[in-house]
Amino acid sequence: MSRRSYDRPLGNLEETLSTRERAVTISQVAALAGVSTGTASKALNGRGALRPETRLRVQQAAEQLGFVANAAARSLQTGRTYTVGMITTDSIGRFSIPLLIGAEDALGAGQMSVFLCDARDDPIREQYYLRTLLSRNVDGIVVTGRRTQARAPIGVGLPVPVVYAFISSADPRDCSVVPDEADGARRAIQHLLAIGRRRIAHVTGPEHHHSATVRAAGAAQTLAAEGLRPAAPTLYGEWSEAWGRQAAGILLSTGADVDAVFCGSDQIARGMAEALRDAGKQIPRDVALVGFDNWDVMVEGSRPSLTSIDMDLEGIGRTAAEVLLAAINGDPVQGQRARPCRLVPRASTAV
């Protein structure tokens, strides 16, 4: 092999190594974005009180240049790991996955990663994950679950900020971001009233369940504000289609004069729709239906498709992450933050 042919690949290798060594710097990002290096650093690290357009401009400049932050250098400079832990008891992911998506949307702006830990409703496993996350020096922790009922704090005197999402902490000094379920019930009843229904019944989950009682109270209060009473006593049962079918049978057997049913969950509403249809009732002509949760599998699989209340789980996750970031940056907040729900109309209430 000639000397010339041997040198060619070596030259290419040296060129490649040289190119890698000339990685894009944060100074170059700052210059392209038209800001100072300090401002660029804050924008990329999710710190500081910057205008949203400034933060976006810096992020776009970093993306355009292919800037990759050196995680080790960032940690040494700031004393942070740019990681957040999320501990959940929702093993099937019905609530935790949308919450995680929302949280990652907010944390991604600061180039932070999320460790998801499934405690499976096991206190021992939950404490194990808490110790593990703390040993990894996470910057903060989000605690969530599949129930909105308040729970005992995951720990006392922890070295990092903790925010509860969807689920709430029994300690008023903790920060909790939750759905306003009473607001959701109010929207459901107001929608039924708006389409001309006045004989409205409510069917929901277990009477001891926090969500069931809050939604039932919200429905009753909204009817009372309009000078109306429920068309039948509230029926409490299970969060299931089977209970929806059974509840429909109860309403039909008692001869209750009902022209609409607000169900405490989409599962109940889907079972209710099936039983009413089998009994010869047309939905929504004879009976209009509204569910709760806006669970796509249920609302789209029902016949007809279900009008439902959406708790905006991704929005709750984003808000929780934003509050956590503020606490990490030295601006913690306390107390509960309730986010409004929204109604998603479909065929089950179509006029």
Side-chain angles (χ1 to χ4, degrees):
M1 180 182 294
S2 70
R3 174 81 177 179
R4 185 174 180 180
S5 61
Y6 179 82
D7 284 344
R8 186 170 298 162
L10 180 61
N12 289 342
L13 176 60
E14 290 173 347
E15 182 179 350
T16 301
L17 290 173
S18 178
T19 301
R20 288 180 179 176
E21 289 171 1
R22 294 195 299 272
V24 176
T25 67
I26 196 167
S27 298
Q28 291 172 301
V29 173
L32 180 59
V35 299
S36 68
T37 302
T39 297
S41 176
K42 289 177 182 178
L44 294 175
N45 293 334
R47 296 183 291 113
L50 303 179
R51 292 196 301 272
E53 57 268 25
T54 301
R55 197 179 298 275
L56 178 61
R57 193 164 70 249
V58 172
Q59 290 166 356
Q60 290 174 337
E63 184 176 353
Q64 180 179 334
L65 294 173
F67 174 76
V68 178
N70 185 308
R74 271 207 310 171
S75 295
L76 287 173
Q77 181 183 17
T78 64
R80 289 166 49 181
T81 60
Y82 294 90
T83 56
V84 166
M86 176 179 280
I87 299 178
T88 180
T89 58
D90 175 28
S91 57
I92 64 173
R94 165 69 187 90
F95 301 101
S96 60
I97 297 303
L99 288 163
L100 174 63
I101 292 172
E104 285 188 325
D105 284 347
L107 294 170
Q111 297 183 343
M112 300 185 73
S113 302
V114 183
F115 295 138
L116 179 62
C117 304
D118 178 14
R120 306 179 195 174
D121 263 340
D122 181 349
I124 296 176
R125 187 184 295 269
E126 182 178 83
Q127 288 302 305
Y128 164 76
Y129 280 131
L130 175 62
R131 292 193 300 271
T132 299
L133 290 171
L134 293 177
S135 71
R136 290 177 175 269
N137 297 318
V138 294
D139 296 324
I141 296 173
V142 176
V143 179
T144 186
R146 63 177 181 269
R147 302 183 184 91
T148 56
Q149 188 167 359
R151 54 154 291 165
I154 195 170
V156 179
L158 297 179
V160 297
V162 177
V163 173
Y164 297 79
F166 189 69
I167 201 167
S168 62
S169 171
D171 188 338
R173 294 170 298 180
D174 289 331
C175 179
S176 304
V177 182
V178 299
D180 190 340
E181 297 178 275
D183 169 72
R186 177 180 60 80
R187 291 173 187 268
I189 298 299
Q190 287 181 338
H191 174 66
L192 291 171
L193 294 173
I195 63 171
R197 306 307 164 104
R198 292 295 181 271
R199 303 183 303 279
I200 304 171
H202 182 48
V203 178
T204 191
E207 191 167 9
H208 61 80
H209 200 289
H210 176 261
S211 290
T213 56
V214 169
R215 295 170 191 180
Q221 290 167 5
T222 306
L223 286 171
E226 297 294 328
L228 299 172
R229 295 173 59 85
T234 298
L235 296 178
Y236 293 94
E238 299 298 325
W239 302 113
S240 69
E241 292 180 62
W243 165 236
R245 291 190 291 269
Q246 183 182 350
I250 293 173
L251 290 175
L252 292 170
S253 66
T254 59
D257 186 14
V258 174
D259 64 5
V261 181
F262 166 41
C263 298
S265 79
D266 293 330
Q267 289 171 284
I268 295 172
R270 183 172 174 176
M272 173 74 63
E274 181 182 329
L276 290 176
R277 190 174 59 252
D278 290 346
K281 299 291 184 181
Q282 291 192 28
I283 302 169
R285 189 193 70 181
D286 300 324
V287 182
L289 287 180
V290 176
F292 205 109
D293 293 334
N294 199 34
W295 188 2
D296 54 357
V297 174
M298 290 292 154
V299 297
E300 295 169 6
S302 178
R303 292 188 296 158
S305 59
L306 286 170
T307 293
S308 187
I309 299 297
D310 193 314
M311 291 183 286
D312 189 17
L313 297 175
E314 288 189 22
I316 291 173
R318 280 193 299 272
T319 299
E322 289 165 357
V323 171
L324 184 64
L325 280 173
I328 291 171
N329 290 326
D331 188 20
V333 296
Q334 296 182 338
Q336 190 175 102
R337 293 188 172 194
R339 287 180 51 91
C341 299
R342 64 186 179 94
L343 181 130
V344 183
R346 295 188 180 87
S348 67
T349 59
V351 178

